[in-house]
Amino acid sequence: MVTTEEIGGITLFAALDPAQREQLSRAAADIRLTAGEYAVHEGGERALFAVLEGRIEPVKLIDGIERVVGERHPRDVFGEVPLVLGTVFPVGFRAAVASRVMRVAAHDYHAVAAVVPDVGKEVGRLAAHRMGGARGLQGIAAVPPPPRALVVGHRWDASCAELRRFLDRNQITFKWLTRDTPDAADQWGDPLPPERDWRAIRVVDGKTVVRPQLRRVAELLGLCTEPAAAEYDTVVVGAGPAGLAAAVYGASEGLNTIVVEREAPGGQAGTSARIENYLGFPGGVSGTSSRAARCSGRDGSARRSS
């Protein structure tokens, strides 16, 4: 249980009187996290958190890679942006080391802010600070990450089209170069490989592979191609909506679950910009496959490309 003394040590709540701290102490959840464990995932429901012990790092999924975009220390709070905007969490927050955090549900926070308006004003100021500036959420959104790969290939080459489709399906940003691309050699960084070696791919660390198999491309880009464990309780073949749903339910029941997929998560739904006949969404819905993939990863199931 979070004590009133610990609540008083958090800068945001320092102005609360003893009765208000006691009320918040009864409402707050005391959460202990191991290193790498999430206090809240990107897309999680809004709440206000405060760091009591350890160190928490905000993590944003950018181009399929989790990138650390800051850190929070004891007495710091996080969750101010979704509370102010009324949205879900735009980034996830995970423990960099063994940590302890306090979680205040949105309705409990608003009850405090209604009685102590300075708390709401400070949360609004923090939210504006987190969103603004080059290192804020607006800066992250305004500066797109560089492509993770460069691809050289003929426009009508089926193998090059297959490679580009594979990268697209796995949400890997890339730049496609052909012999007609202006300054293609400058963008590649060297003379282009001979056309007999096309298709060719160069990843961000400079490693170049000619005529690669898709499995080799996956390995270069850090996509999982080998199981992490020797044995699993449940193996799901196919990462379409049904396979991802089965993985979520299996992992949520405590089963060690792996999903094996030949190309990319999503199945046919992953190639559809919008689905008009999805139950419960009369206006149609998009992004179902990526949401399901994030959900399966959150529940602890592993995914492997074959």
Side-chain angles (χ1 to χ4, degrees), residues 239 243-249 251-252 257 259 265 289-303:
L244 292 173
V248 168
Y249 289 123
S252 66
T257 303
V259 182
S289 61
S290 60
R291 294 176 193 172
R294 288 197 300 270
C295 189
S296 65
R298 177 184 305 180
D299 281 318
S301 56
R303 294 192 298 275

Side-chain angles (χ1 to χ4, degrees), residues 51-95:
V51 183
L52 301 175
E53 300 170 10
R55 188 173 84 253
I56 301 294
E57 51 190 19
V59 178
K60 179 69 176 173
L61 190 65
I62 302 174
D63 194 20
I65 298 177
E66 291 183 334
R67 301 182 187 273
V68 177
V69 295
E71 58 184 13
R72 303 289 188 273
H73 298 280
R75 303 182 65 184
D76 290 341
V77 299
F78 57 94
E80 63 279 355
V81 171
L83 280 174
V84 169
L85 299 182
T87 62
V88 296
F89 272 83
V91 300
F93 287 86
R94 72 183 179 196

Side-chain angles (χ1 to χ4, degrees), residues 5-28:
E5 290 78 12
E6 289 174 320
I7 291 176
I10 298 167
T11 306
L12 179 64
F13 300 126
L16 299 184
D17 63 34
Q20 291 164 343
R21 294 180 189 179
E22 180 64 32
Q23 180 181 358
L24 191 56
S25 173
R26 291 195 298 266

Side-chain angles (χ1 to χ4, degrees), residues 166-195:
F166 176 81
L167 296 174
D168 274 331
R169 291 287 310 277
N170 283 280
Q171 302 178 20
I172 303 296
T173 57
F174 66 94
K175 190 161 189 178
W176 176 33
L177 306 175
T178 69
R179 59 186 174 189
D180 301 323
T181 302
D183 302 323
D186 291 337
Q187 296 185 55
W188 184 258
D190 288 305
L192 295 181
E195 292 192 27

